[in-house]
Amino acid sequence: MKDQSPGLLGQASSKADRPVLTWALCTPTLNRIDILLQSLRCTLAQTRLPTEVIIVDASTNWEANRDKVAALFVSHPQIRLVYLPCGIRSITVQRNLATQAASADILLCLDDDTMMHPDCAETILRVYEQDTEGRIAGVTAKNDPVSPRPETTLERKSTVSEDRAKRGWSATDSRLMQWVWREIFMMNTLRLFVPFDQGRPLATPEAVAQLGQPDLSPVVSMFGYAMTVRRSVALREPFESHLLAYAPCEDTDATYRFSRHGLLVMSRKARLHHFEIAAARLKRRQVAALFLMNVAFFTRKHSDAPDIHRKRYFHLARRRVFAEFLKDGLSRRWSVPQVSGTLYALRQAREIFALPDADMGKRYEEMQREVLAWK
């Protein structure tokens, strides 16, 4: 694993000299000012406040949104508020702009519908501060089904757990049912993502145990609603700038690359709530297509064993077709949008793997625009 030498960020080795790290909230948003304001109220209710809040807005009415957000911060002049417009509707471009605009030690790269419980940020910062050798690259938090703002009346989309409940399944299902959900329905992103650094060891329970923080467990990647990272790492491994729009799997790609520079861990005491607002940005067919296409692009761009990883990709992608057929059928979506999008992506993947290095990114942007233009 790279960059895990003691003093990565200049930490002192003695407990008495342990530094107090600063943190910034970095959030991309698009046409969701109501949920953004709710999220920011949770940020301002933290037991340990940020030194800065960076919002990157791709909305056409970003100025009106900025004024509403600024009103929240009038009573918190000690917090540096940076509100940036973005002319490109790309969640990854927005995330990169926020990273570049921040100056804090630790970045909480949260979605605009993430609501932190009051001690979430403080709990996460303690993890980084106790890591005196700088071995941790990123920390993620638990998704608490209970919101810190239960009075919120905004409409939310059906969650995975709710979908399970409709079918008579729950989080306490037998191991067999959990295996079916993960391996047959492939509802875990990591069941399709191809780890493209051949032979690089990932975090293990043994490695995390050596940190001396019993509330941590290893993770392979982090979800976009709960990513936190050292700013020095985020600058070295930027989010994929050639992705457009909502960009499925962008968080898995970036945070997997974060782990090149240190451990990724979950703090079981840090709690946040992913609201999952109902305002859909893309249709099911588009999401299914872009998910598989993005994974092909990541693999093509970063693989250090192209033949091995290409075969692995197509093996998983074919399994995905069957999984989407089951999900469309069980949900009575007779137009089978997810199957259709997945089959389209499989055809496009062959071209993605054949893209030349010179114009790979630009050509992939064109391929995404074709999908985003679907009616």
Side-chain angles (χ1 to χ4, degrees), residues 34 71 73 110 139 160 187 193 234 297 347:
D34 291 338
F73 286 80
L110 309 182
V139 182
V160 170
M187 289 302 293
F193 181 77
F297 181 70
R347 294 191 297 270

Side-chain angles (χ1 to χ4, degrees), residues 292-298 300 313 345 347-356 360 364 367:
L292 260 184
M293 290 169 61
N294 285 350
V295 173
F297 181 70
F298 303 147
R300 163 65 185 88
Y313 169 85
R347 294 191 297 270
Q348 298 300 104
R350 292 176 175 82
E351 181 178 347
I352 292 170
F353 279 104
L355 289 174
M360 186 192 330
Y364 186 58
M367 297 175 75

Side-chain angles (χ1 to χ4, degrees), residues 297-317:
F297 181 70
F298 303 147
T299 308
R300 163 65 185 88
K301 182 173 181 178
H302 299 291
S303 173
D304 58 8
D307 291 340
I308 293 174
H309 292 149
R310 185 178 184 278
K311 290 177 182 177
R312 177 65 174 164
Y313 169 85
F314 281 106
H315 170 73
L316 293 173

Side-chain angles (χ1 to χ4, degrees), residues 80-98:
R80 173 178 173 248
L81 174 63
V82 179
Y83 203 100
L84 300 174
C86 183
I88 302 173
R89 292 193 171 185
S90 163
I91 193 171
T92 52
V93 170
Q94 291 171 258
R95 290 196 192 280
N96 286 337
L97 286 173

Side-chain angles (χ1 to χ4, degrees), residues 110 114-117 120 124 140-148 225-228 270-274:
L110 309 182
T114 295
M115 300 187 184
M116 289 187 286
H117 283 266
C120 182
I124 289 171
T140 189
K142 289 184 65 176
N143 186 14
D144 192 328
V146 178
S147 172
Y225 62 80
M227 295 183 291
T228 85
R271 298 178 303 137
L272 49 72
H273 176 73
H274 186 209

